[in-house]
Amino acid sequence: MNEDGKKRVPSWVLRNEEYLKAFVRGLVDTDGSMYFSSRWCVLNFKSINKEIRHLFKGFLNNYGIPTIESGLGINATSLWKIKKYLTVIGTSNLKNVIKFLEYTENKNTVRSENVKEKLETYKNTTLPYHY
């Protein structure tokens, strides 16, 4: 927090590309989601902090991942964008890995509440996962 009481991203994170990637990965892993269906593939991140949303959107755009803003959310809305995100940034959230791999490799849509059924299959997955 700064003197004004607002949360800020430390400058040392912003100056180091690997720290920034880890920071963005952490945002999605904790306050984001991935959704796959026959109609939609969406990577979503929500935050009430406008600075964090702006940083997240700018970071993805800098890596050629276009986004759409919707209220407090930033969305990347196609499979190629999610693949690029996972290539550049990756995820340490096994739930996201399971949902992604089940969709891309098995054409299976796994809802968040059904991820536990797949844990045994993916228990040896190395995290962070990169596509």
Side-chain angles (χ1 to χ4, degrees), residues 44-99:
N44 172 269
F45 167 71
K46 287 186 179 180
S47 176
I48 61 169
N49 187 312
K50 188 175 182 177
E51 180 183 348
I52 298 292
R53 286 195 319 270
H54 179 76
L55 174 72
F56 181 80
K57 181 180 177 69
F59 184 83
L60 265 57
N61 287 335
N62 286 343
Y63 277 97
I65 305 170
T67 58
I68 300 168
E69 286 190 62
S70 177
L72 299 177
I74 306 292
N75 301 308
T77 56
S78 68
L79 184 58
W80 77 264
K81 294 174 189 176
I82 294 173
K83 285 180 176 180
K84 189 159 189 177
Y85 172 86
L86 290 173
T87 299
V88 173
I89 299 161
T91 182
S92 293
N93 184 323
L94 188 55
K95 179 173 77 172
N96 289 338
V97 175
I98 291 170
K99 290 164 73 174

Side-chain angles (χ1 to χ4, degrees), residues 36 41 79 82-83 86 97-108 129 131:
F36 302 93
C41 296
L79 184 58
I82 294 173
K83 285 180 176 180
L86 290 173
V97 175
I98 291 170
K99 290 164 73 174
F100 173 75
L101 291 176
E102 282 293 317
Y103 182 78
T104 57
E105 294 180 1
N106 303 323
K107 302 296 182 224
N108 184 21
Y129 169 84
Y131 178 69

